[in-house]
Every structure is written in C-alpha cells, then in structure tokens.
Amino acid sequence: QMASFRPTAHYATRALEAPFGVQDLTSDIAIRQWATLAASDPERGLAKLQNTLEQATPAECARMPFGARQALVEELRRLAWPTATFHEAALCLALLAQSDDDRPSLKASDVFIRLFSIWLSGTAVPFDERLEAIDWLVTRGRVVFLRFAVRALTQSVKHDPCRMHVDEPTDATREPEWRPANDQEELACVHVALQRLREIAAAAPADLQADLLEATRYGAMRLRHSATRSIVADLFLTIRRALPSAQETLRGQVAELLDRETRLWQELEPMDLAPIESLHAELEDPSLLGRIRQWVGSFPWDVARQPDLNPLARELLDTPDGLLQVLPWLTSGEATGAWRLGECLAALDPQGNLE
C-alpha cells in the first residue's frame, strides 16, 4: 500500500499544486507522496507526473530508488484500470519504461505491454480507444517508443489470455474489465492491431527488425484463419519491402507453418493452403545465396525430411565464383546443413577439382 491513509480531495488538490520536478524522481519520499496524493486526485497527479517524465532523461529516471519505482509502477498499473485515467497512466508507464533495468521486478514496460492484451488486459477501456496511446508513441518517432508500440501490438495479436501475478484491487465500485463481446469483436481487435503493425512496418528502421519478426512469429498462426489471412500476408510483404534482410526469416516462418499444417494438423482445405503457399513462394529468394540460405540454413535433423542438396552442389561446382560469394555465410554458424552440402560437393567432385 502507498500509505495507511487516503488524503481528502481538497488536501490532495492543494498538495499536488506544489512543484514536482525531475529532481524529485530520485526521492523515495517524494514519489511515495505523489502516489498517495494521486489516489485522491488521479487526473491532476498523472498530468504532473507525465510532464515530469517527459522532461526527464532515461538516465535521470534510472536513478529512481528501487522501492519507490516499484511503488510508482504499481500505482500506474492501478490507475490504468479506470477509463478516465487510462491514457495518461499508460503514457507514464511508457515514459518510465525507457529506464527499465534487468533486475527481477515489476517492470513498467511489461505492465504497459499487457494493457494491450485483448483478454485480461487489466483495464476497463475498449481496445480501439487504448490504441490512442500507441498512436502517441508512434507520432513521437523515437525507436524506443516504436519498439514499445510494436511489442504492445504483438501482445494484441497473441492468443495469450493470462494475467500478471499481481493482486488486483477489490473495489466494488470499479468499472468492469473490458472484454470482447463475441468472436467477431475479438477478430476485429486483432485486425486493427495487425493494421497498426503494418503501418509501423512500412517505414520501420533497421533497429525494429527483431521486434517486427517477433510480431510475425505470432502473426503467422493467423494465416490459418481466412478472416485475418490477407492482412497478415500484407504485413509479411510490407516488412520484406522495408527490411530486405528479414526476407529469409519471414519465409522460414511461413514454411514452418506449412510444414506443421501438412504433416501434423491437416486441418486446412486445399483452397485455404493455396494462398499461404503463394505467400511462401513470393518470399523465396531465387538468387544462389537465397536458395542456399533456404535449403541449408534450416536443415532438419530427420534424415527423411532432409532436402536433396545435390542440385545446389552441382551449381556451386559449375560456378566457383558463386561458392566464394556464399562461403562467408556457410562458415558463419547459421548454415546448419553446411556439412551435408560439403558431403554433396565431395561426392560430385571426387578428383578435388574445386580446390
């Protein structure tokens, strides 16, 4: 608990008019006092905190005492529940998350991201209204904010209905937690999240590649559903255009989905498989390096599933310059089937002419 008492609204309003600057972020007493007063006048308290966090640098926020930081994150998590204070509380969490560290704790970034779950989000605010906070981050254009936006939207795309292990407030007058009324409303939320991800991906800097590929890793499963297949495919292709170096990873994600569907699940009709196979074909790189990355980069342990590398080996023997081009990658550790390719080269070149 922030304190053993709740001040009156009149006292809190007067107290919150006092200056609260960047220097107060390093004061355990000042932060805990803010949290206690904000409980009585949350809108004024959040406005003051947001203004202070916007002025502070991540380094200044990082000097915040650990216990006070935990208390602040917990209070912001509580204030993100009501409709009236969600937006400001979410932005304060995002601003504070810039200075998260690796210590086991209740992190501002984790709390912020969880607010964008479709189920068990910890807020009464409808999903489409929550996206105003995402738009605020995107318009700032900073990589750290774009990263939070992508991770939050990825949380929306996941089917991950679980809640952080934090005791929930038990106020009987509290607004009910928002949840989709039916499957159609849930799909609409996922669709909107995928659209936002596509918009971010269209102009994504290279620093966002890992986060966007994490989003597509979860989004790939949505290719199995006709309602979201088109927007997911568009997201994959948008990322490929903006970040060409992500192409093979994107192709691999679709290939893995196709492999599991054809070998294990066997639930989709041919008409549903066709557009996924078409997307996979579009993501393939026809160049020699592209084909080697595809067939040698993700080499299955199961011998029965291993591809025939003899055609690639023959092509490398016929074009020695091509082998020189791909040799750095073949020896990088990413080529899990490099040994098998070497065996094929040796079998096709018993005289050792390649040397």
Side-chain angles (χ1 to χ4, degrees), residues 117-121 159-162 177-180 182 186:
S117 299
I118 294 176
W119 293 92
L120 301 179
S121 59
H159 186 66
D160 186 20
C162 61
E177 185 176 42
W178 185 88
R179 62 188 64 186
N182 48 49
E186 180 181 3

Side-chain angles (χ1 to χ4, degrees), residues 330-353:
L330 286 172
T331 57
S332 68
E334 296 180 19
T336 56
W339 182 270
R340 178 62 187 139
L341 179 63
E343 290 180 326
C344 293
L345 286 168
L348 294 171
D349 184 28
Q351 304 302 320
N353 296 324

Side-chain angles (χ1 to χ4, degrees), residues 3-283:
S4 59
F5 70 95
R6 295 292 186 190
T8 64
H10 175 70
Y11 170 74
T13 299
R14 291 183 58 190
L16 286 170
E17 290 174 353
F20 184 82
V22 174
Q23 71 281 356
D24 293 313
L25 293 175
T26 60
S27 168
D28 186 279
I29 294 176
I31 291 175
R32 291 178 183 273
Q33 183 182 49
W34 172 87
T36 302
L37 297 173
S40 294
D41 194 347
E43 294 182 17
R44 186 186 293 259
L46 284 169
K48 173 177 284 192
L49 179 64
Q50 182 179 343
N51 181 64
T52 300
L53 291 174
E54 287 190 66
Q55 295 178 30
T57 65
E60 288 172 324
C61 291
R63 290 197 292 269
M64 190 180 300
F66 180 79
R69 185 185 184 89
Q70 293 293 282
L72 181 57
V73 173
E74 171 62 26
E75 185 66 13
L76 289 172
R77 187 195 65 82
R78 189 188 69 79
L79 291 170
W81 189 294
T83 304
T85 52
F86 169 84
H87 185 74
E88 291 74 15
L91 295 186
C92 286
L93 283 166
L95 290 163
L96 190 60
Q98 298 176 88
S99 57
D100 275 349
D101 56 32
D102 296 331
R103 287 179 293 181
S105 61
L106 181 64
K107 291 181 169 54
S109 56
D110 292 339
V111 176
F112 174 80
I113 289 167
R114 279 285 174 181
L115 291 175
F116 296 87
S117 299
I118 294 176
W119 293 92
L120 301 179
S121 59
T123 182
V125 181
F127 182 77
D128 57 343
E129 295 179 22
R130 283 179 253 162
L131 294 180
E132 293 178 8
I134 297 293
D135 294 339
W136 186 93
L137 296 179
V138 172
T139 56
R140 293 307 181 273
R142 293 172 54 191
V143 171
V144 63
F145 287 157
L146 291 172
R147 181 170 289 123
F148 291 152
V150 169
R151 291 178 181 177
L153 293 168
T154 301
Q155 183 68 28
S156 308
V157 174
K158 289 181 185 179
H159 186 66
D160 186 20
C162 61
R163 197 190 299 284
M164 296 176 65
H165 186 66
V166 178
D167 292 337
E168 296 297 331
T170 56
D171 184 356
T173 64
R174 183 185 58 179
E175 300 170 83
E177 185 176 42
W178 185 88
R179 62 188 64 186
N182 48 49
D183 291 345
Q184 289 71 28
E185 188 170 13
E186 180 181 3
L187 272 176
C189 294
V190 172
H191 202 277
V192 171
L194 289 166
Q195 284 180 325
R196 288 292 208 289
L197 280 169
R198 182 183 59 185
E199 292 168 4
I200 295 172
D207 291 339
L208 281 187
Q209 179 165 312
D211 299 285
L212 287 168
L213 290 176
E214 181 73 1
T216 55
R217 186 169 74 87
Y218 288 100
M221 286 297 292
R222 301 283 181 178
L223 288 167
R224 303 182 73 236
H225 304 286
S226 58
T228 51
R229 186 174 299 139
S230 176
I231 184 67
V232 173
D234 201 11
L235 173 62
F236 272 72
L237 296 175
T238 299
I239 295 174
R240 193 270 307 271
R241 287 191 294 269
L243 302 167
S245 61
Q247 178 168 340
E248 175 54 25
T249 303
L250 293 168
R251 184 210 62 79
Q253 291 174 347
V254 179
E256 183 179 3
L257 178 71
L258 285 170
D259 178 63
R260 291 184 178 183
E261 174 57 38
T262 53
R263 284 193 310 111
L264 304 175
W265 304 323
Q266 300 179 1
E267 295 174 349
L268 297 182
E269 298 294 333
M271 62 179 297
D272 293 314
L273 273 176
I276 305 177
E277 292 170 340
S278 176
L279 173 63
H280 180 266
E282 194 165 353
L283 290 170

